[in-house]
Amino acid sequence: MAKIKISETVLRDAHQSLVATRMKTEEMSPILETLDKVGYHSLEVWGGATFDACLRFLNEDPWERLRLIRKHVKHTKLQMLLRGQNLLGYKHYSDDVVSEFVKKAIANGIDIIRIFDALNDARNLETALKTTKKEGGHAQAAISYTISPAHNTEHYLKVAKQMVDMGADSICVKDMSGILTPYYAFELITMLKKTVKVPIQLHTHYTSGIASMTYLKAIEAGVDVVDCAISPMALGTSQPPTEPLVATLQRTQYDTGLSLEVLNQIADHFRPIRDKYLETKQLDPKVLGVDVNALVYQVPGGMLSNLVSQLKMQNAVDKYEEVLKEVPRVREDLGFPPLVTPMSQMVGTQAVFNVVLGERYKMVPKEIKAYVRGEYGRPTVEIKEEIRRKIIGNEDVIVCRPADLIPSQLETIKNEMKEYFEQEEDVLSYALFPQVALEYFKYRQAKKYQIDSSCADKEQKTYPV
Amino acid sequence: MAKIKISETVLRDAHQSLVATRMKTEEMSPILETLDKVGYHSLEVWGGATFDACLRFLNEDPWERLRLIRKHVKHTKLQMLLRGQNLLGYKHYSDDVVSEFVKKAIANGIDIIRIFDALNDARNLETALKTTKKEGGHAQAAISYTISPAHNTEHYLKVAKQMVDMGADSICVKDMSGILTPYYAFELITMLKKTVKVPIQLHTHYTSGIASMTYLKAIEAGVDVVDCAISPMALGTSQPPTEPLVATLQRTQYDTGLSLEVLNQIADHFRPIRDKYLETKQLDPKVLGVDVNALVYQVPGGMLSNLVSQLKMQNAVDKYEEVLKEVPRVREDLGFPPLVTPMSQMVGTQAVFNVVLGERYKMVPKEIKAYVRGEYGRPTVEIKEEIRRKIIGNEDVIVCRPADLIPSQLETIKNEMKEYFEQEEDVLSYALFPQVALEYFKYRQAKKYQIDSSCADKEQKTYPV
Ligand SMILES: [Co+2]
Ligand SMILES: [Co+2]
């Protein structure tokens, strides 16, 4: 039977999308054993922005969180999101750091690693994917979904085949902007199922209000797993709600077999948490609404408001319509990168520069230059020579995998942070977010020795007079 | 081509469902001409609770609102919701009042009247439906959708046929609780299309999070029209959002042909209004969430919280589980009325009485007695003699159409309110809500003559010492 499986995102993407990743471990722990009872395909609990947020905002050790979740979730597979060679950070890391990170994630309890690259450059997934398999994990390769003349079904099928050839245990279609429409989802999933033999999972966001319909058509096309969030943490910029989909599929050939009564217990746990977030304004009701800008203009709503504020700073708000037309042109020039972080900011800024300065590519941010040099990977469509020249002149373009040019970093990093070392995992926290990890290590040390480190510092110093 | 048509509910059901019908005419008027440009099948603008709310809370004449809307909406059909023989009130009115009301609604600008009866007793639609047709209006008969062993496809097909035989120009499946699941909608709409020849419209609410999926499957089954609300006033207890459905159907055989750019202008108008409602707490973010209770327990969320507060007043909160089990039994005893106002309150109260008093039907509210006497119409399933005896003893049961027993009222009413008469329509406002209309008439009079009527009253009285 085509029984549909569900991955629950409430412990990762749902709160990352709705409340800037601020859910604390203590808000999760009382419900972990109930979550384990549901019979989900997996629980997405780690990775994405949660690692950074734990250290930076919550004074939590993300590794500790993972171990605690694993302790209480004995049966359900734990899943994480990994940004390919960027891991959970914002730059490419050396292969030894990537391998070690994957190894430790699995050692601490992760079963499934979803690995993606914004440009769909499969080479950027290679090290993470191979290590995952070597360590006995399930390596899911994710295709970043976007809309452009270059991002047609043929492109996605080609990328999926590359990923499977590389050893991917399953494929995820990852629609971070919530722009995959239901009937195209039907077509895409149908073709993917015909083309590759591994399971297909679909990930989307409710942002533009179509996501539940997209899942329904994907399910009819044969998708194996979809990502949902329990209702109090669903909708808006988060995932489609779990319970309505479970109810919809009950007593059909797609029945998930999950119990609405158990799901209701989980909803009962998160409802007061949602209410608290609404009260403290951490959850802005605006993100719960429908934002169709991404469907109408192919530009996400957040990017539109960024453009407006950039133009305001330049006293050029009257240029808004012009900039809006320049965005797709810049995107085309750059080989159609998907408009997600950091590419959306980069393309937006370039479009503003092009219009406000009255000359295209007169000024170019250094990130765009790095991108054109190939430091992010290979664009979907090759950048035209004329544009490349305008942006980086005669500078060389990297044709190999960007990480091939990065020397091993692990030993240096170990050495740098050795005075704070308490567990092997600390090296990786420091590798990804040196400044933030250091602050956390100091906090941890102070707490451990019952010393307020800021006081201690003061004692060794003289007070400024 | 199976082009799908959309009725936009933002001016009636959407604000009735989200902000207790408090949208003012001045919040509507600036966008009316844009709404007229979209190409909707119809705009639902009147009836339901808007009539009462205009008079009671907004100091507005509902007839005046209708005329203003008609003045600015020159091309799009205007639609209203009418509770059969109850009109817009809460009791059965005499036929002369019903006829006169329908006549005046059409004379003031209404094109389509959606007429329903909570018990699906077609006799309760008859007068309104026949007058609508006589006055040149489109008479849409609505089937109230609910879930029970008696409410199967056969039942709905039978009701639909009765309605068409009676002269209905179209049929609406009206799912006021948002419990029509997508795959059952597919089956029901398929069968309705096979059984009757008139257009089929579907109305639902997003309450339990399935509504957009329900529309999609209904559309695939051949439904002609669906009810949506522009996104800032959609979701939660309101309708599914318009724009995502339009985007979903674009470039498919179901394409609505509506322009997302024009819809975006409408969304831009209502977004700050939504924000204002959120700020003033008229719009509680809670109603924007998903409430799956109606799917899990077949009992709407609002009814559950009512039960809890009734039990609290009786110091019997520990009886909650027992009452929850008693609700479906009472519903069965009463011939499976749908759990919507006022039946949900009646069934809930009876269930509480039955459990708390330790004897079933020892105490029975007078509304339940009236219902069992047949004063509301014919229940879907005949009430068993044993239950009937327990509730009304040997009292007679009405077998004719309840309104057949109500003598003409219009002349008496005219006479009662003649000192406030300014237009024929005032008689109807007074017929429906005597107390509330009177207050409004006084307000209007005072405003007209620039007199503060409460001051005037005070002048004729002596002050209490
Ligand atoms: Co996501
Ligand atoms: Co409604």
Side-chain angles (χ1 to χ4, degrees), chain A residues 182-183 206 208-209 217 220 244 248, chain B residues 182-183 206 208-209 217 220 244 248:
Chain A
Y183 289 101
Y206 209 85
S208 52
K217 295 312 294 179
E220 293 180 356
T248 292
Chain B
Y183 288 101
Y206 209 85
S208 53
K217 295 311 293 179
E220 292 181 355
T248 292

Side-chain angles (χ1 to χ4, degrees), chain A residues 137-200:
Chain A
H138 174 118
Q140 177 173 81
I143 306 172
S144 299
Y145 178 76
T146 189
I147 295 174
S148 89
H151 289 84
N152 49 24
T153 307
E154 204 189 321
H155 166 79
Y156 292 121
L157 295 180
K158 191 190 77 189
V159 173
K161 273 189 282 189
Q162 283 172 356
M163 288 168 165
V164 172
D165 289 346
M166 200 178 265
D169 296 307
S170 63
I171 295 289
C172 172
V173 176
K174 180 170 157 57
D175 172 23
M176 47 280 255
S177 314
I179 54 178
L180 176 59
T181 54
Y183 289 101
Y184 182 61
F186 186 89
E187 183 187 322
L188 179 60
I189 299 294
T190 301
M191 291 305 295
L192 278 169
K193 288 298 290 181
K194 277 189 192 156
T195 308
V196 298
K197 293 287 159 258
V198 299
I200 307 289

Side-chain angles (χ1 to χ4, degrees), chain B residues 303-429:
Chain B
M303 189 173 163
L304 293 178
S305 44
N306 271 345
L307 291 179
V308 171
S309 54
Q310 284 190 43
L311 285 170
K312 268 187 191 155
M313 287 194 298
Q314 320 255 4
N315 276 321
V317 181
D318 57 311
K319 298 277 197 327
Y320 180 67
E321 292 292 323
E322 223 179 308
V323 169
L324 217 54
K325 280 175 199 145
E326 178 66 5
V327 166
R329 285 195 292 253
V330 170
R331 197 177 166 221
E332 182 171 0
D333 290 345
L334 298 181
F336 299 111
L339 294 179
V340 294
T341 306
M343 290 307 310
S344 51
Q345 289 86 339
M346 286 156 61
V347 169
T349 304
Q350 188 63 62
V352 169
F353 284 178
N354 288 359
V355 168
V356 170
L357 301 175
E359 187 190 326
R360 307 188 77 219
Y361 305 106
K362 188 175 177 181
M363 213 158 101
V364 179
K366 67 176 196 311
E367 291 83 2
I368 296 257
K369 287 187 181 169
Y371 168 84
V372 173
R373 277 195 303 266
E375 290 176 24
Y376 289 71
R378 201 186 284 130
T380 308
V381 172
E382 208 187 342
I383 298 170
K384 286 199 197 91
E385 201 186 325
E386 179 206 343
I387 301 290
R388 199 192 70 222
R389 285 264 164 96
K390 263 190 196 158
I391 294 175
I392 57 165
N394 287 323
E395 288 184 61
D396 282 344
V397 168
I398 298 170
V399 289
C400 65
R401 187 183 67 120
D404 285 339
L405 304 173
I406 306 172
S408 295
Q409 299 168 321
L410 203 55
E411 288 312 310
T412 324
I413 291 166
K414 257 186 194 165
N415 211 42
E416 260 180 62
M417 53 72 67
K418 63 171 182 280
E419 69 172 301
Y420 296 102
F421 182 99
E422 288 189 14
Q423 55 176 349
E424 291 285 344
E425 289 79 2
D426 291 342
V427 181
L428 296 160
S429 301

